[in-house]
Amino acid sequence: MPAVASPLLDYDDYVRLPGDKRYEIIGGTLAMSPSPSYFHQEASAVLFTALRTHVEANALGKVLSAPIDVILGPNDIYVPDIVFVSHARREILAKRGIVGAPDLIVEILSPSTRERDLGEKREAYERHGVHAYWAVDLDTEAVLAWRLTEGRYGDLARLTGADALTSALLPGFSLAPEALFA
């Protein structure tokens, strides 16, 4: 007897999930993550505060932190740690979340999500046109940064210590990765 394929999940399925868990739908498949660690939350708070302060002071757009649904497609619903949406793309901000590709997505890598964040999710962010993707690696105290060029993420920048974390999306923004791991 042939195997029966599982149906792909979509946003309607997603909103019916119990509200006390951290879910994402990746390529139509349900993924669950445990609550973030203390170090994850600290790094996220430092980066979120620095980004939000800079973005608001320069009227560049909106910076939001998890949980916020990022709906990239009918079968790709993510909950990144931090997102930036420029004023030029504000139409993707909706009551139910962000519908479309943010300008910047940040994921803080955790042991349970590392492979997915650097694999399937990075590929989906690239495919859906997220201009920049930063992955904060708590284990190596580095920030991995990709920038979309001609529809593909170009060379990986691995920033550590006092290196300057910058982006053309955020003119004048600079943060040393070491600040995230203090």
Side-chain angles (χ1 to χ4, degrees):
M1 176 179 258
V4 177
S6 297
L8 295 178
L9 300 175
D10 62 17
Y11 187 77
D12 291 334
D13 297 313
Y14 178 77
V15 297
R16 287 193 297 271
L17 294 168
D20 60 347
K21 302 287 184 198
R22 292 173 33 104
Y23 296 105
E24 294 178 306
I25 295 180
I26 301 172
T29 302
L30 184 64
M32 191 179 86
S33 300
S35 295
S37 72
Y38 166 78
F39 296 110
H40 178 287
Q41 291 298 80
E42 278 295 315
S44 183
V46 169
L47 184 53
F48 171 78
T49 301
L51 284 169
R52 187 163 186 152
T53 299
H54 180 80
V55 166
E56 287 182 354
N58 294 281
L60 299 174
K62 294 288 182 188
V63 176
L64 302 164
S65 65
I68 182 79
D69 294 341
V70 175
I71 305 159
L72 296 177
N75 305 115
D76 288 311
I77 299 107
Y78 299 91
V79 184
D81 290 299
I82 301 171
V83 297
F84 164 65
V85 177
S86 66
H87 281 307
R89 306 202 62 247
R90 67 181 167 264
E91 75 279 355
I92 69 171
L93 299 171
K95 185 176 182 179
R96 65 182 183 165
I98 298 170
V99 182
D103 295 272
L104 167 68
I105 286 182
V106 179
E107 295 282 9
I108 314 294
L109 304 180
S110 299
S112 63
T113 66
R114 177 186 194 84
E115 189 174 313
R116 187 170 48 216
D117 289 343
L118 295 176
E120 294 168 285
K121 288 171 78 172
R122 188 194 69 78
E123 291 167 7
Y125 296 157
E126 178 182 58
R127 183 174 63 252
H128 287 283
V130 175
H131 297 301
Y133 176 43
W134 297 349
V136 177
D137 191 337
L138 300 172
D139 291 338
T140 64
E141 297 189 358
V143 177
L144 310 174
W146 291 269
R147 182 173 50 107
L148 203 63
T149 305
E150 298 178 11
R152 304 284 300 159
Y153 283 146
D155 293 335
L156 167 67
R158 186 176 184 283
L159 306 164
T160 61
D163 291 342
L165 176 59
T166 63
S167 174
L169 298 169
L170 305 161
F173 177 80
S174 182
L175 181 71
E178 64 192 5
L180 304 175
F181 310 109

